[in-house]
Amino acid sequence: MRETSWVSRTTVRDEMGFRTEGGESLQATTKQRDRGEKQDEARAEMGYRREMRWVPREARDDTEGQRRRGTTKEKVITMGEVDPAFIQAEEHRPKPDFTRAEGIPLIDLSIISSPNSSVDNDLALGALVEEIGDACKNWGFFQVINHGVPLAKRQNIEKASRIFFDQPLEEKRKVRRNEEKVLGYYDTEHTKNVRDWKEVFDLNVQDPTVVPASYKPDDEELTRWFNQWPEYPTDLREVCEEYAKEMEKLGYKLMELIALSLGLPKDRFHGFFEEQTSVVRLNHYPPCPVPDLALGVGRHKDAFVLTILAQDDVGGLQVKRKTDGEWLWVKPTPNAYIINVGDIIQVWSNDTYESVEHRAMVNSGRERFSIPCFLGPAHYTNVQPLEELINQQNPAKYKPYNWGKFLVTRKGSNFQKLDVENIQIHHFKIPESESAEKLD
């Protein structure tokens, strides 16, 4: 990112602590100064600190005669020094020669995507269920096409997202989320205690959503999370709510297929979502001057049940291959959705299916947009391995945990940098020694 201002060749900003060889100070016009202050404020929010770059002497000499006549203007470029909060540890930085993902499952849902379809066609269904099961087990994610989500609904929310994020910072901050209003706009999110190069807008699919008032185990009080909506774009609420309904329908169809792939009745998961905690997020990743040092979202696994991701044609999603730990760049497929197995499915399936670690890259030339939907169960759900999938030979590998308390704990961590690792499902993993004792 660069900021340019037109000044005479021999002067620089005195108020920034810089002087020319002759000691002259810059007298910027009020308009230039006001514009610069607004740009500085926006950059400060994304971790910039101003730094002066000198004009090379060779460039000054080329037009010395014009300079004496006062007819030459020169672009003085100020560059941002990125806040260390964004910098990934060396072992987690993206490589410039990343690997393109090959063989990612691309699954056609056309047999269940017509308006009157259901998961009942025995002949064609068997192959589809097998595809889903293989993808969940071997990859932890896959892409779907012919999914039944109207293209217009996706285009509408993508357009509204761009309009929203293109607004001045002060407008977006009118719906900024905080510890009381946990939904809305936010631009200082951290993953693994490193700040993400992004800004987001969150909304719940069910509005309001009922959750525990506190993360404390003995506190039984409940509260409600309400969506916040900006004044502009005026249709943001309508297009988001319409899109959320489409994500619900697709999510439930996918959960039916996943249930069948585990040998369960297709409606096995329906009851978990009667008072869902599902979230739709609008992501904006601005161009980044140090894409080799920062990430749009650092490495992580999704805590929810399932993630349905729409990404634009820029791309940036990387998935960690289970077989060798290699980071794979997922090439965008037009009008496809990327499906991630979440942590809750990992626990429900007793590790038959595992959530996959992934992250989002940024680049210096183009902004990127994506829209994930995180499918979440009711707050009172106690997440644990399903009883149909455990036995003496395959005992439960996780202790039960309450999803609402887990969710509230994770939400609270968004507003402060932690000194310890955030709560994860591995904190509820039963040690193998305990499992062995139960078998004995």
Side-chain angles (χ1 to χ4, degrees):
M1 289 182 174
R2 293 184 174 182
E3 175 196 7
T4 62
S5 56
W6 293 102
V7 299
S8 65
R9 186 181 292 271
T10 57
T11 59
V12 293
R13 289 185 185 271
D14 182 51
E15 63 268 29
M16 293 299 295
F18 295 96
R19 290 183 179 273
T20 62
E21 296 172 357
E24 300 173 19
S25 59
L26 170 68
Q27 300 297 320
T29 65
T30 300
K31 183 177 181 180
Q32 287 172 323
R33 184 171 60 252
D34 290 345
R35 183 174 67 247
E37 288 173 353
K38 289 180 180 179
Q39 290 172 329
D40 290 346
E41 180 184 3
R43 281 165 168 75
E45 289 302 312
M46 289 301 294
Y48 281 103
R49 292 200 292 267
R50 294 178 63 87
E51 180 183 74
M52 179 58 65
R53 172 159 294 189
W54 293 95
V55 179
R57 180 173 296 277
E58 301 80 44
R60 295 200 300 268
D61 293 341
D62 284 346
T63 52
E64 184 65 22
Q66 291 178 333
R67 186 194 64 77
R68 289 196 192 97
R69 295 190 296 271
T71 58
T72 297
K73 299 288 184 179
E74 178 61 53
K75 262 185 183 176
V76 175
I77 300 174
T78 51
M79 302 188 66
E81 180 188 354
V82 176
D83 191 311
F86 287 101
I87 305 302
Q88 295 285 328
E90 188 170 355
E91 64 269 24
H92 299 304
R93 294 172 187 173
K95 298 178 181 178
D97 54 342
F98 55 80
T99 304
R100 291 179 182 270
E102 300 290 344
I104 295 175
L106 182 64
I107 300 176
D108 189 339
L109 299 182
S110 56
I111 68 167
I112 64 166
S113 61
S114 63
N116 299 318
S117 67
S118 63
V119 184
D120 288 323
N121 305 322
D122 292 341
L123 186 60
L125 187 59
L128 177 58
V129 169
E130 185 176 356
E131 274 191 281
I132 293 287
D134 287 345
C136 290
K137 185 166 186 170
N138 298 322
W139 288 85
F141 78 104
F142 52 94
Q143 298 187 79
V144 295
I145 56 173
N146 298 321
H147 39 67
V149 179
L151 180 59
K153 298 288 178 69
R154 178 166 169 169
Q155 290 173 332
N156 288 343
I157 194 170
E158 289 174 341
K159 178 182 178 181
S161 175
R162 289 175 179 272
I163 293 173
F164 172 76
F165 286 119
D166 195 44
Q167 294 182 103
L169 183 61
E170 58 267 25
E171 287 300 315
K172 291 179 285 190
R173 279 186 162 178
K174 290 179 180 178
V175 288
R176 183 180 173 87
R177 74 189 195 200
N178 54 44
E179 293 183 45
E180 286 74 40
K181 298 178 180 180
V182 301
L183 300 163
Y185 174 76
Y186 204 59
D187 58 351
T188 54
E189 199 163 75
H190 291 71
T191 302
K192 306 289 188 186
N193 280 334
V194 180
R195 189 172 169 187
D196 297 329
W197 193 274
K198 69 177 181 184
E199 53 182 348
V200 306
F201 180 84
D202 287 339
L203 61 125
N204 275 339
V205 172
Q206 184 169 305
D207 187 26
T209 292
V210 178
V211 296
S214 165
Y215 66 88
K216 297 177 181 177
D218 297 331
D219 187 348
E220 298 182 358
E221 184 181 354
L222 300 176
T223 189
R224 294 186 295 174
W225 289 348
F226 291 86
N227 289 333
Q228 295 191 81
W229 299 105
E231 295 180 10
Y232 189 78
T234 56
D235 63 345
L236 183 64
R237 178 172 185 169
E238 180 182 355
V239 299
C240 285
E241 289 178 345
E242 288 182 355
Y243 185 80
K245 291 177 183 177
E246 296 298 331
M247 292 298 96
E248 276 189 276
K249 289 188 283 188
L250 177 57
Y252 294 159
K253 286 181 178 180
L254 289 168
M255 290 307 297
E256 289 182 349
L257 292 169
I258 290 172
L260 291 171
S261 75
L262 289 167
L264 303 170
K266 70 176 185 180
D267 62 353
R268 178 63 176 88
F269 298 114
H270 286 188
F272 291 112
F273 300 99
E274 291 178 0
E275 295 183 52
Q276 62 178 309
T277 54
S278 303
V279 176
V280 171
R281 165 171 285 188
L282 311 181
N283 281 325
H284 175 226
Y285 304 94
C288 177
V290 286
D292 55 331
L293 301 179
L295 288 166
V297 184
R299 71 198 189 284
H300 68 285
K301 296 182 178 183
D302 291 341
F304 285 73
V305 176
L306 197 72
T307 303
I308 305 171
L309 175 70
Q311 64 170 343
D312 63 13
D313 62 344
V314 176
L317 174 67
Q318 283 191 314
V319 177
K320 195 172 187 178
R321 187 162 51 195
K322 293 172 64 174
T323 55
D324 59 6
E326 182 77 15
W327 284 104
L328 305 177
W329 184 78
V330 182
K331 181 180 179 180
T333 299
N335 198 31
Y337 284 99
I338 297 169
I339 312 301
N340 286 17
V341 169
D343 285 346
I344 294 178
I345 285 183
Q346 178 168 332
V347 175
W348 278 344
S349 72
N350 206 34
D351 283 353
T352 299
Y353 299 156
E354 295 181 15
S355 59
V356 65
E357 197 168 36
H358 53 286
R359 64 188 187 183
M361 297 174 64
V362 288
N363 67 80
S364 59
R366 296 182 65 186
E367 61 185 342
R368 175 178 177 253
F369 297 85
S370 70
I371 306 172
C373 175
F374 306 100
L375 198 65
H379 73 88
Y380 46 76
T381 301
N382 285 320
V383 181
Q384 58 189 321
L386 299 177
E387 58 182 13
E388 302 98 310
L389 302 179
I390 58 175
N391 51 46
Q392 279 197 326
Q393 288 70 43
N394 184 35
K397 298 177 180 178
Y398 295 89
K399 301 172 185 177
Y401 64 90
N402 177 266
W403 168 244
K405 296 293 186 181
F406 188 102
L407 177 62
V408 169
T409 302
R410 292 288 286 263
K411 276 288 186 182
S413 70
N414 286 336
F415 304 104
Q416 56 183 330
K417 185 174 180 179
L418 302 179
D419 295 325
V420 296
E421 181 185 33
N422 206 344
I423 188 170
Q424 308 284 348
I425 60 170
H426 69 72
H427 295 134
F428 302 94
K429 195 80 181 272
I430 298 174
E432 290 185 10
S433 58
E434 287 187 29
S435 298
E437 287 177 8
K438 290 181 179 179
L439 287 176
D440 295 339

